[in-house]
Each structure stands twice: as C-alpha cells, then as structure tokens.
Amino acid sequence: MTDQLPDRPGLRTVHQLRALTVDLDLLAAAFAQRNRLHPTDLRALIALLDAARTGTAATPGLLGRELRLNSAGTTAVLDRLERHGHLRRTRDPHDRRRVLLEVTEQAVALGETFFGPLIADTVALVDGLSPAELAAVEGFLTSMRTLVARHTD
Amino acid sequence: MTDQLPDRPGLRTVHQLRALTVDLDLLAAAFAQRNRLHPTDLRALIALLDAARTGTAATPGLLGRELRLNSAGTTAVLDRLERHGHLRRTRDPHDRRRVLLEVTEQAVALGETFFGPLIADTVALVDGLSPAELAAVEGFLTSMRTLVARHTD
DNA sequence: CATAGTATCTCGCCGAGCGAGACACTCGTT
DNA sequence: AACGAGTGTCTCGCTCGGCGAGATACTATG
C-alpha cells in the first residue's frame, strides 16, 4: 500500500488478500440488506449459529463481548433478531439471572442459504488441490492469522 | 473462539479463511478506535490512499459510490476527515462543480503506521515461500475471488 | 439562451450504540 | 438466615452516523 514497487510477489499477494476480504464484506453486506438485517445483526446471527453448531450455550453477555457491544446495544440486537423471528430467549433455570439464546429453524435456514453454496464451492475448490498445494494454502492462512494476531495489541 | 476440530480439509480451510477475515476486521476496528476514527472514516481513508497511490483523481462522488454512501453521508465523512486534518478539498478548475480530494501528509503517515508493519511482515512471509507454494497460494486467492464474485448478484 | 443533466452540499429525521443506572438473582461471609 | 458484594440483563436518555429530499452551482446540449 505504501510501497510503489510494482509486481513483487509479496505485494501482489497482499493486494489479492485485501481484495478478497473486501469482496467478502461486500457479499455479507449485500446479503444483510436483502434480508432486512443490519450488519451487526448478521454478525450476531453468525456468532449464534456458530455457538449452536458447536453446542456452546449462548447468552447476551457472551455475545456482547464477542461483538464488542455494551449491554444496552446487545439487548437492542437481540430485540431486533427476536422481533424478526431469528431468535428465542429463555431464562436459564440453573441461574435465573441468565438468558439463554436459541436460534430458530428459520435462522438456521437463512444461514444455510447464505453460507451453504459458498462453502460448498470453497470445499470443492480445496478438494481439487494436490496435497502439496493444500499444505501451502493452509500454512499461509495459519501464518497470516498468527501474524495478524501479533499486530493486534 | 470456535476452534472445533473440522472434519474435512475443505471445511478446515473455510474456517481458517473466515477466522482470518474476522481478525483483520478486528485489527482495523482497533486501529480506528485508537485514532479516533469511525470505521467508515478508516475505509474512506484507505480508499483515498489507494487513489493517491495509483494517481487516480478522487472526488466525493466516486468515494461515495465506493463506500456505498449517499451524498449526504459522503459529505459528512469528508467533513470529519477534513476536520481531523487528513484531507484537503479543492475545486477542480476544469469542472467547477467537482471537488478534488487530497490526502494530507499526516494521513499518509497514519496509513503507513497502520499498514506498513503488517504489509512488511506479509511480504516477508510470502518471500519465504517456494515457487510452488507461492503459486498454490496465489491460485487459491484468485479462485476464491472469482468464486465470491460469482456469488455476489 | 434555455433546458436538462451532474456534482456537491444542507436540512430534518431515524435509529444503532453508548453511559449510567435499575433490577433480579447468586454466592460467600458472618 | 440474612447481609453485602458481585454478576447478568434490561431500561432510559442521549449522541451522532447515515438516509431521503431538496437546494445550489456548474456544465453540456439543443
């Protein structure tokens, strides 16, 4: 970005990666708008679907921490999702201060329409790679994550 | 957060890629907050720095289209950036309806503090790859972009 | 010229998210 | 058992980013 030297492999890759993240953001934004969801609501839905998939108990507090929202903002997100029928709130019988969040079938279906085809295509793409290619791609992604993590402080 | 053991290589890669984009978003958000910028202002700044780097003339209209903001919102973004000294507005002498946007030295420096180290590390990482590995990574990124583009409609 | 088209800005409004605080509940201490 | 501290969630009032509508200034075309 701050380097003008054209066509060094490293810079080309940086550019490709950045373009890809921008495209993914645009895709998410387009999907959100088409389904009358705010970007934050979509992020929340993704987090809740993840939790449901891994069997983790989701609560407003956890969600708010994940989305970097304070409690008031979290309540507002949940109100919107509940109003749109993507979410059910139930009191935790073991700790009656807590609220358990349950995504509805409708929300799961919505998530599948969004992620399903893209994931399927990506899996097909990855399955078409040779073992060496797969190793290179996975190594790159892993290295990038630790690298980004090191710059977040 | 949700590092479950994904069964197939394809899914594992999908997960890694998604985690990476989330981490990059978090990095950007953290940087924005530390510099008293709104996420949109940072996106605008990135777009303007890109334009400056490629020698493209930046105008409010172009920027607004890129950021998916209407004209009122675009004006507000530019007001904020100008107020913070990241931007100068000048009338285009050839078409006096238009306003030309010029990032200040301060903004360029800010961009370098943000992107510089991360880009340098990424370039170093990519430079350390064998030609075959590099080809695999670039091929993957390119394929993903066309794949995402196909799903955006 | 007049008229249509274009680039930008202003005004009034909506609503996402914040800070402060209320309320309900749990838990350790006494 | 009763109290206080700590925790999870929600309510209230507010700020301010972004939108729709329209004003303003300029260019292009007949």
Side-chain angles (χ1 to χ4, degrees), chain B residues 4 15 26-27 36 38 45-46 48 50 54 60 63 69 76 79 85-86 90 97 107 110 119 127 138-139 142 144 153:
Chain B
Q4 190 95 331
H15 182 261
L26 285 178
L27 176 62
R36 306 256 141 65
H38 298 270
L45 208 49
I46 291 171
L48 291 173
D50 273 359
T54 61
L63 181 69
L69 290 181
D79 286 348
H86 297 315
T90 48
R97 293 167 302 181
L110 194 65
I119 289 182
D127 282 352
E138 292 209 329
T142 310
M144 279 305 299
D153 46 15

Side-chain angles (χ1 to χ4, degrees), chain B residues 54-78:
Chain B
T54 61
T56 315
T59 65
L62 283 172
L63 181 69
R65 251 162 270 140
E66 192 156 339
L67 299 182
R68 265 84 180 164
L69 290 181
N70 78 356
S71 65
T74 306
T75 298
V77 171
L78 296 176

Side-chain angles (χ1 to χ4, degrees), chain B residues 8-142:
Chain B
R8 300 173 53 194
L11 289 180
R12 197 167 58 233
T13 307
V14 166
H15 182 261
Q16 286 274 66
L17 181 58
R18 186 157 70 91
L20 178 57
T21 64
V22 169
D23 290 352
L24 284 170
D25 276 358
L26 285 178
L27 176 62
F31 174 83
Q33 205 157 26
R34 198 179 318 155
N35 290 85
R36 306 256 141 65
L37 288 172
H38 298 270
T40 304
D41 298 2
L42 179 58
R43 286 179 56 209
L45 208 49
I46 291 171
L48 291 173
L49 288 169
D50 273 359
R53 196 171 39 86
T54 61
T56 315
T59 65
L62 283 172
L63 181 69
R65 251 162 270 140
E66 192 156 339
L67 299 182
R68 265 84 180 164
L69 290 181
N70 78 356
S71 65
T74 306
T75 298
V77 171
L78 296 176
D79 286 348
R80 292 194 298 266
L81 288 179
E82 196 171 38
R83 198 179 326 128
H84 286 75
H86 297 315
L87 179 75
R88 265 186 303 271
R89 283 195 256 214
T90 48
R91 283 274 156 200
D92 183 341
H94 292 26
D95 181 344
R96 306 206 28 248
R97 293 167 302 181
R98 304 171 87 207
V99 164
L100 298 180
L101 305 177
E102 233 182 329
V103 287
T104 62
E105 277 310 310
Q106 178 192 123
V108 174
L110 194 65
E112 258 157 35
T113 30
F114 181 33
F115 295 112
L118 181 60
I119 289 182
D121 282 4
T122 306
V123 168
L125 172 67
V126 173
D127 282 352
L129 298 178
S130 73
E133 287 170 331
L134 177 60
V137 169
E138 292 209 329
F140 172 74
L141 292 177
T142 310

Side-chain angles (χ1 to χ4, degrees), chain A residues 107-118:
Chain A
V108 174
L110 193 65
E112 259 156 37
T113 357
F114 181 34
F115 294 113
L118 182 60

